[in-house]
Amino acid sequence: MASPKRRSPRIAAGIVFTGLAACAFSGTPAPRAVDVKASDGFLLKATYYAAARPGPGVLLLHQSNRTRDSWDVVARQLATAGMNALTLDMRGFGESGEPRVVPTDAAKEKARAMWPGDVDAAFQYLVSQPGVQRDVVGVGGAGSFGVLYSVEAAHRHPAEVKSLVLLSGETLQDGLQFLRQAPQLPGLFAVADDDEYPPTVEAMEWLYLASSSAEKKFVHYSAAQDAPWIWYETADASKVPARGGHGTDMFEPHPDLAGMIVDWLVTTLIRTPGHAPADTLASARTLEEIQTPGGAARVAQRLTEARRRDPRAQLFPEITASIIGQDHMRAKEPKRAVEVLELVLLAYPDSADAHETLAEAYLADGRKDRARQHAERALALLDAHAVPASSWSDTGPRRGEIRRDAQKVLESADR
């Protein structure tokens, strides 16, 4: 039997996608300041980062104690990676109004009522630009302010928005309900323990759990000590000392985060629009069901139904479900192993790894013809070099291990 297959580290996946993102399109235009006309004629200030070639669009919304410039490091990388980004100063912030924070309660309420429409105006400006794929759009938001309006924008434009990036914030009940009913929407969620506005960590964990997508990722920067509850002591956000843990402030102490965001959007908007690899934590309930009697068949039915709506839908990561099947093999339960590994192959039919592992299970169950069939298919996939060895690994050593194990199955099946 092959040695236990383990899920590749996040950083390894990041290296693959960073390499993709680093295929920089030469001649990326310089960012330019633009005016976005709101529904009432008010001119919102924004910055447009055009890619050198046609590609997806990304709208980035700031947190309430920052302006559009806080997204600059990400927006520039997005343009280099082939995505057209728009950062917006919301009404009453930055160059979209002075003073930066609207002064009176009445003015605040008036501006607040206009913010959803302002976001839609920016969204329409973005998708109307030459070279922008208007039906492949990502939205990113920071802080409760940016996260709230990012989720609402995705809710209003479900056909166009294919990916979310949410930093250090929360949404309201309507937004949570939308995320619960949007299994097709991948999302990247990031938060830090030293966020100066606790309990943001718990709010982000709840937001992540509310998302029904199996294609999501949670980035949590831990700290030795939680941030104090300073913000409750003042209504003036300017008096809350920044600790580098909230929203786009995380880019400075955690420079890897900007790259993760870019890689995430390259994956979900360019490489596989509207899709990201299924995540083990996000798929926990499905993986638990696979371990129950009859669970593999039930999950197979749900996967088949999901594929009718979206041929690329995934409910669980290949390697985690494969480990479950291999655990049955180690427990001398080949029939249960076959049930689980057949499900893995249904989900990942082009994986040489899945074919080879299933071949071992068939062999252990005494079904030599089926074992031979899948071992040969594994070798054919490896020889073709048309697809990766699996969804989680495609290294030379891993391919060699799959090949050796498939050949061992053939030798045993021919005895």
Side-chain angles (χ1 to χ4, degrees), residues 148-227:
L148 171 65
Y149 291 107
S150 293
V151 173
E152 288 188 357
H155 193 181
R156 291 193 299 272
H157 304 280
E160 293 88 358
V161 176
K162 298 295 192 294
S163 184
L164 280 176
V165 172
L166 306 177
L167 313 181
S168 313
E170 56 186 309
T171 187
L172 302 178
Q173 289 187 13
D174 287 348
L176 289 171
Q177 187 62 21
F178 163 68
L179 292 175
R180 292 187 184 104
Q181 297 175 347
Q184 79 291 345
L185 182 61
L188 174 67
F189 304 76
V191 69
D193 281 346
D194 58 353
D195 191 299
E196 59 265 30
Y197 300 97
T200 299
V201 171
E202 290 77 9
M204 282 297 292
E205 289 172 340
W206 179 232
L207 196 64
Y208 171 83
L209 291 172
S211 169
S212 58
S213 174
E215 302 172 1
K216 59 184 178 180
K217 180 177 180 179
F218 192 78
V219 179
H220 185 176
Y221 292 104
S222 62
Q225 184 176 359
D226 290 345

Side-chain angles (χ1 to χ4, degrees), residues 316-348:
F316 54 84
E318 174 186 352
I319 183 54
T320 315
S322 180
I323 289 172
I324 294 172
Q326 292 176 77
D327 283 345
H328 285 301
M329 289 284 285
R330 286 184 278 269
K332 309 300 182 184
E333 299 169 347
K335 292 189 183 302
R336 290 289 300 276
V338 166
E339 291 175 1
V340 173
L341 295 172
E342 284 180 338
L343 170 63
V344 174
L345 188 62
L346 175 67
Y348 298 91

Side-chain angles (χ1 to χ4, degrees), residues 59-75:
L59 176 62
L60 299 170
L61 305 177
H62 62 80
Q63 60 213 55
S64 61
N65 61 349
R66 296 291 179 265
T67 64
R68 73 185 194 268
D69 292 342
S70 61
W71 278 107
D72 181 72
V73 65
V74 169

Side-chain angles (χ1 to χ4, degrees), residues 42-356:
F42 185 84
L43 293 181
L44 300 160
K45 298 298 181 178
T47 301
Y48 185 60
Y49 302 75
R53 301 180 184 178
V58 180
L59 176 62
L60 299 170
L61 305 177
H62 62 80
Q63 60 213 55
S64 61
N65 61 349
R66 296 291 179 265
T67 64
R68 73 185 194 268
D69 292 342
S70 61
W71 278 107
D72 181 72
V73 65
V74 169
R76 288 177 181 274
Q77 292 183 47
L78 290 174
T80 300
M83 288 166 279
N84 305 278
L86 182 71
T87 61
L88 173 72
D89 273 347
M90 295 285 280
R91 184 183 301 237
F93 295 84
E95 294 183 305
S96 292
E98 293 293 345
R100 188 170 67 81
V101 179
V102 184
T104 67
D105 288 343
K108 287 179 181 178
E109 287 303 315
K110 182 178 179 181
R112 185 176 291 111
M114 299 302 295
W115 285 334
D118 291 349
V119 172
D120 274 353
F123 187 94
Q124 294 303 326
Y125 178 93
L126 173 64
V127 299
S128 70
Q129 296 309 296
V132 174
Q133 293 176 255
R134 58 179 305 124
D135 60 342
V136 184
V137 178
V139 182
S144 293
F145 190 66
V147 167
L148 171 65
Y149 291 107
S150 293
V151 173
E152 288 188 357
H155 193 181
R156 291 193 299 272
H157 304 280
E160 293 88 358
V161 176
K162 298 295 192 294
S163 184
L164 280 176
V165 172
L166 306 177
L167 313 181
S168 313
E170 56 186 309
T171 187
L172 302 178
Q173 289 187 13
D174 287 348
L176 289 171
Q177 187 62 21
F178 163 68
L179 292 175
R180 292 187 184 104
Q181 297 175 347
Q184 79 291 345
L185 182 61
L188 174 67
F189 304 76
V191 69
D193 281 346
D194 58 353
D195 191 299
E196 59 265 30
Y197 300 97
T200 299
V201 171
E202 290 77 9
M204 282 297 292
E205 289 172 340
W206 179 232
L207 196 64
Y208 171 83
L209 291 172
S211 169
S212 58
S213 174
E215 302 172 1
K216 59 184 178 180
K217 180 177 180 179
F218 192 78
V219 179
H220 185 176
Y221 292 104
S222 62
Q225 184 176 359
D226 290 345
W229 288 28
I230 297 174
W231 77 276
Y232 283 117
E233 300 171 8
T234 175
D236 186 350
S238 67
K239 295 181 179 180
V240 180
R243 300 167 59 98
H246 187 68
T248 49
D249 290 355
M250 289 189 288
F251 295 152
E252 184 173 349
H254 306 292
D256 58 316
L257 180 57
M260 277 192 236
I261 292 171
V262 174
D263 291 341
W264 175 264
L265 292 170
V266 167
T267 300
T268 55
L269 299 181
I270 295 178
R271 189 168 180 259
T272 52
H275 288 278
D279 181 80
T280 298
L281 297 179
S283 311
R285 291 182 181 177
T286 297
L287 294 166
E288 289 174 358
E289 184 174 3
I290 291 172
Q291 297 178 78
T292 64
R298 293 191 296 273
V299 173
Q301 180 61 36
R302 287 209 303 275
L303 178 61
T304 300
E305 293 170 357
R307 291 271 173 89
R308 293 193 186 105
R309 299 186 296 272
D310 181 353
R312 295 179 298 176
Q314 292 291 10
L315 303 184
F316 54 84
E318 174 186 352
I319 183 54
T320 315
S322 180
I323 289 172
I324 294 172
Q326 292 176 77
D327 283 345
H328 285 301
M329 289 284 285
R330 286 184 278 269
K332 309 300 182 184
E333 299 169 347
K335 292 189 183 302
R336 290 289 300 276
V338 166
E339 291 175 1
V340 173
L341 295 172
E342 284 180 338
L343 170 63
V344 174
L345 188 62
L346 175 67
Y348 298 91
D350 294 328
S351 169
D353 198 13
H355 278 281
E356 187 282 318

